[in-house]
């Protein structure tokens, strides 16, 4: 369903919508209490709990998952957390493996304790975090939010766990749905190649660091081919797939793309996307809507970019339409 979103007049086009927040928004809107929990395979997941009083009469516990190379300090995560705090609810921001930032210096990432990092299909990590929190708070009402890669992971988990009763409502923002199609789409334009090179620059450093800490990585990852990669497919084929037990990039995309799980979801989900999202091929969004179950509420805007949706009358008075809508939608159903 197409919905009305009034983009900021000073941010025409998908790319300004996409990059504006990352360039201008604060990364410390809320305070955190940090916790590290050990995973079953001996790694560590860093959780940042919203450090604010729960003043709502019946507080909901939100669990948030960021996008590729993001963290709990990503501007969209901070924006959603700020809305949750203002409404008096509880939140936990999950940092995917190898993505947690050092609070003293947000340019520094905290390294893994195992020879792996995160990927779009790592729904097992989300499952572990969610069930850990649910065991601690058996009477809590949970809602879940995921952006981009984190949204893909959340939708995959919801499809894998039909009949689950922990998460009462969920919302996703700018999910690519089909990882292979998204990868090919980004190869076709100069802007897509720019976005890709930006992500690959940090991903390559992460793999190189992992290989220096865990020599066995070099027996699984072709470091030279990984360093030479210029597309997501090349990088994922050289590094992501072998490091996480996929046959190749195609196998990784097939087994991890949320589009294959949408039909099994029976939890109320709001899926927010923009038609002009530079990460999403135009043909994938209508296909995702066709195969999804009726519990997935697709809201599509003609413009908005990737995790953008910036409105407002002036550059110093911006509003982030999708973030507030997502929080309100979940609260109505959780």
């Amino acid at each position: 369903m197409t919905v009305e979103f009034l983009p900021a007049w000073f941010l025409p086009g998908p790319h300004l919508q996409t990059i504006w927040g990352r360039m201008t928004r604060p990364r410390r809107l809320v305070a955190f209490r940090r916790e590290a929990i050990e995973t079953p395979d001996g790694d560590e997941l860093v959780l940042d709990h919203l450090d604010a009083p729960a003043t709502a009469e019946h507080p909901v516990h939100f669990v948030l998952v960021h996008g590729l190379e993001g963290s709990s300090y990503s501007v969209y995560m901070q924006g959603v957390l700020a809305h949750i705090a203002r409404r008096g609810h509880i939140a936990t921001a999950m940092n995917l493996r190898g993505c947690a930032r050092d609070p003293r210096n947000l340019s520094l990432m905290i390294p893994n304790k195992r020879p792996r990092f995160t990927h779009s299909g790592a729904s097992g990590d989300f499952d572990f975090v969610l069930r850990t929190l649910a065991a601690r708070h058996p009477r809590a009402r949970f809602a879940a939010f995921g952006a981009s890669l984190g949204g893909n992971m959340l939708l995959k988990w919801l499809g894998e766990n039909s009949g689950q009763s922990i998460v009462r409502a969920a919302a996703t923002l700018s999910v690519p749905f089909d990882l292979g199609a998204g990868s090919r789409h980004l190869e076709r334009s100069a802007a897509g190649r720019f976005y890709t090179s930006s992500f690959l620059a940090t991903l390559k450093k992460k793999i190189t660091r992992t290989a220096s800490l865990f020599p066995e990585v070099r027996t699984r990852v072709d470091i030279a081919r990984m360093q030479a990669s210029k597309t997501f497919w090349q990088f994922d084929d050289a590094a992501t797939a072998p490091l996480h037990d996929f046959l190749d990039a195609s196998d990784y995309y097939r087994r991890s793309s949320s589009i294959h799980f949408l039909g099994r979801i029976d939890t109320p989900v709001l899926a927010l996307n923009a038609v002009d999202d530079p990460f999403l091929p135009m043909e994938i969004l209508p296909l995702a809507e066709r195969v999804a179950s009726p519990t997935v509420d697709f809201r599509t805007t003609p413009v908005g970019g990737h995790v953008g949706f910036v409105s407002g009358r002036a550059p110093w008075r911006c509003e982030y339409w999708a973030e507030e809508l997502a929080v309100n939608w979940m609260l109505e159903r959780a």
Side-chain angles (χ1 to χ4, degrees), residues 131-194:
R131 294 186 189 280
T132 297
L133 295 172
R136 292 179 186 175
H137 310 287
R139 296 185 179 181
R141 296 182 299 153
F142 284 92
F145 170 84
S148 194
L149 176 150
N152 183 83
M153 183 186 298
L154 172 57
L155 292 173
K156 178 174 179 283
W157 181 86
L158 289 168
E160 291 169 331
N161 291 273
S162 297
Q164 64 83 29
S165 58
I166 302 173
V167 173
R168 297 193 180 191
T172 64
L173 185 58
S174 299
V175 172
F177 298 111
D178 186 323
L179 303 174
S183 174
R184 293 189 296 273
H185 176 70
L186 287 168
E187 295 174 21
R188 297 184 187 128
S189 68
R193 292 189 291 273
F194 169 79

Side-chain angles (χ1 to χ4, degrees), residues 68 160 267:
L68 181 64
E160 291 169 331
T267 301

Side-chain angles (χ1 to χ4, degrees), residues 7 33 42 57 110 130 148-149 155 179 227 301 317 319-320 329 334:
R33 290 178 289 104
E57 184 177 358
I110 298 172
L130 181 65
S148 194
L149 176 150
L155 292 173
L179 303 174
Q227 291 285 11
T301 63
R317 294 184 62 184
E319 298 174 359
Y320 295 87
W329 192 95

